[in-house]
Amino acid sequence: MKKSLLVPAVLMVSVFVVGTSEYLIAGLLPQVAADLEVSVSTAGQTVTAYALGVVVGGPVVTIMTVRWPRKGLALGLLALFAAGNAVCAVAGSYEVLIAGRVVASLSHAAFLTLALTVATRVVEPHRVGTAIAAVGSGFSVATLLGVPVGVLLGEGAGWRVPFGVLAALALVVAGLLAGVLPRQEAQVTSVRAEIAAVLGPKVLVVIATTAVGLAATSTVFTYLAPALTEITGFGPASVSTLLLVYGAGSLAGGLVAGRLADRSLGATVRGTFVGLAVVLALFPFAVPWAGTAVVAVLVLGLLTSATTPVLQSLVLRHAGPAPTLAVSVNVCAFNIGIAAGSALGGGLVAVDGLRWLGLAAAALSLTALAISYAAVPRRESVPT
């Protein structure tokens, strides 16, 4: 395999390991709560702590390391991730578990940022979107495979075991990266240039588009399982299967969108959000029937993951020679959008709006589409 293909492949596996950590603990909360003698709601704060570490710590770590050689930084971030998960695996108290989660989270956004930017530097310019999609697909695989397998392992062997396995896997992929990743000096930039790039009007527009667009999909996805059980009438086993369908659609959608973005970035951005608006608007009318619900879930998965490569490609395009912090902030915008969508969906569910979440989400998708025009006007041509 050519090194230009091998490097993104190993980075994808690395992103899979890092991505599995974020939501793994959500499926193990009852065990964690019982073992550490806290309530389930208190144990749930381990998810919040990780998210805050990503949103707050990600840009800070990124800007502090912007001048570091890329290879050494990648290995260091994976070592930090391994250390955080090792702490979780041996945590004897809730406070130690929180500390381990925060330590692991500090490497999350910074590593994803580095993986995306490094991948784009080892491929031809006309394959940047494909490279971003390939690396980003590691998160889709983490959702599709990593989290369910980790939860099953935790249920059988105890909640600590999956975190120990993640720590070990992080060291394994670090060894792989040490062998395949070429030495790359940091791009010639400065903290001032990185901050200026983030504050550029078009970069800010893309970041806003990311947050609003992810809020749209998260509004429905967070409450997808309750909708499929309470409205469609599927049982738990069927819902699990449909979530796998969603994950498979996400993996395929991201890879296809990456290729399309290499051909026409603007058209792919607009097509993705128009498609999302349509499927989200139709979702309330599809979910009462099993057949249409399955189709809607698959299409939603395809389009949701398509946002990642197109939006990150836009950030790289508009950030110019100082893209590192901009990509990191955009990664944080994904998390902010997910949190905002979950909160919006929760508010609507509280007033018996479970079936109609898709209408609110469709409005958000159209808003993201409108915002995106400031970054990619209709008549603007995209270099190839």
Side-chain angles (χ1 to χ4, degrees), residues 230-304:
E230 297 176 25
I231 299 173
T232 316
F234 283 122
S238 297
V239 170
S240 297
T241 301
L242 279 176
L243 291 177
L244 289 175
V245 169
Y246 178 94
S250 296
L251 179 59
L255 296 174
V256 171
R259 288 186 174 274
L260 293 176
D262 286 333
R263 296 181 180 182
S264 177
L265 185 52
T268 306
V269 171
R270 290 188 286 271
T272 297
F273 284 115
V274 169
L276 273 173
V278 171
V279 71
L280 289 168
L282 292 176
F283 205 84
F285 308 100
V287 75
W289 294 276
T292 52
V294 170
V295 174
V297 168
L298 176 60
V299 176
L300 181 61
L302 285 166
L303 291 171
T304 296

Side-chain angles (χ1 to χ4, degrees), residues 340-376:
S342 299
L344 173 61
L348 293 174
V349 169
V351 293
D352 296 324
L354 178 62
R355 178 177 174 181
W356 306 105
L357 293 178
L359 297 181
L364 285 172
S365 186
L366 290 175
T367 302
L369 172 67
I371 296 171
S372 73
Y373 271 82
V376 187

Side-chain angles (χ1 to χ4, degrees), residues 113 203 206-211 307-308 311-315 324-335:
T113 298
V203 171
V206 178
I207 292 170
T209 302
T210 297
T307 59
T308 300
L311 292 170
Q312 292 292 23
S313 295
L314 270 177
V315 167
T324 307
L325 182 60
V327 172
S328 179
V329 172
N330 204 45
V331 170
C332 295
F334 276 90
N335 285 270

Side-chain angles (χ1 to χ4, degrees), residues 6-25:
L6 184 58
V7 172
V10 177
L11 287 171
M12 181 194 73
V13 175
S14 304
V15 168
F16 161 76
V17 173
V18 174
T20 298
S21 178
E22 184 167 13
Y23 297 114
L24 170 64
I25 200 168

Side-chain angles (χ1 to χ4, degrees), residues 40-271:
V40 172
S41 61
T42 299
Q45 296 307 306
T46 57
V47 178
T48 305
Y50 194 99
L52 288 175
V54 172
V55 172
V56 177
V60 173
V61 172
T62 298
I63 203 67
M64 289 175 60
T65 58
V66 71
R67 301 298 298 273
W68 291 20
R70 302 292 90 182
K71 183 172 183 175
L73 178 59
L75 301 182
L77 289 172
L78 285 173
L80 181 65
F81 176 82
N85 280 282
V87 170
C88 293
V90 300
S93 68
Y94 173 73
E95 291 76 16
V96 173
L97 177 61
I98 287 286
R101 292 286 287 170
V102 171
V103 169
S105 73
L106 293 177
S107 65
H108 183 109
F111 183 80
L112 179 56
T113 298
L114 182 144
L116 292 172
T117 53
V118 166
T120 61
R121 292 171 65 181
V122 298
V123 299
E124 298 86 351
H126 65 278
R127 294 180 59 85
V128 165
T130 301
I132 290 174
V135 173
S137 68
F139 274 108
S140 297
V141 179
T143 304
L144 174 66
L145 183 63
V147 172
V149 170
V151 170
L152 286 174
L153 178 61
E155 290 174 347
W159 69 267
R160 300 172 186 276
V161 173
F163 291 100
V165 171
L166 282 178
L169 287 176
L171 296 178
V172 170
V173 295
L176 292 175
L177 278 179
V180 305
L181 193 63
R183 291 188 177 274
Q184 287 187 5
E185 295 300 323
Q187 291 181 315
V188 180
T189 184
S190 65
V191 172
R192 178 177 297 180
E194 293 286 340
I195 294 174
V198 172
L199 297 178
K202 289 191 174 182
V203 171
L204 289 176
V205 166
V206 178
I207 292 170
T209 302
T210 297
V212 176
L214 267 292
T217 58
S218 179
T219 298
V220 169
F221 178 72
T222 303
Y223 300 94
L224 186 58
L228 292 172
T229 54
E230 297 176 25
I231 299 173
T232 316
F234 283 122
S238 297
V239 170
S240 297
T241 301
L242 279 176
L243 291 177
L244 289 175
V245 169
Y246 178 94
S250 296
L251 179 59
L255 296 174
V256 171
R259 288 186 174 274
L260 293 176
D262 286 333
R263 296 181 180 182
S264 177
L265 185 52
T268 306
V269 171
R270 290 188 286 271

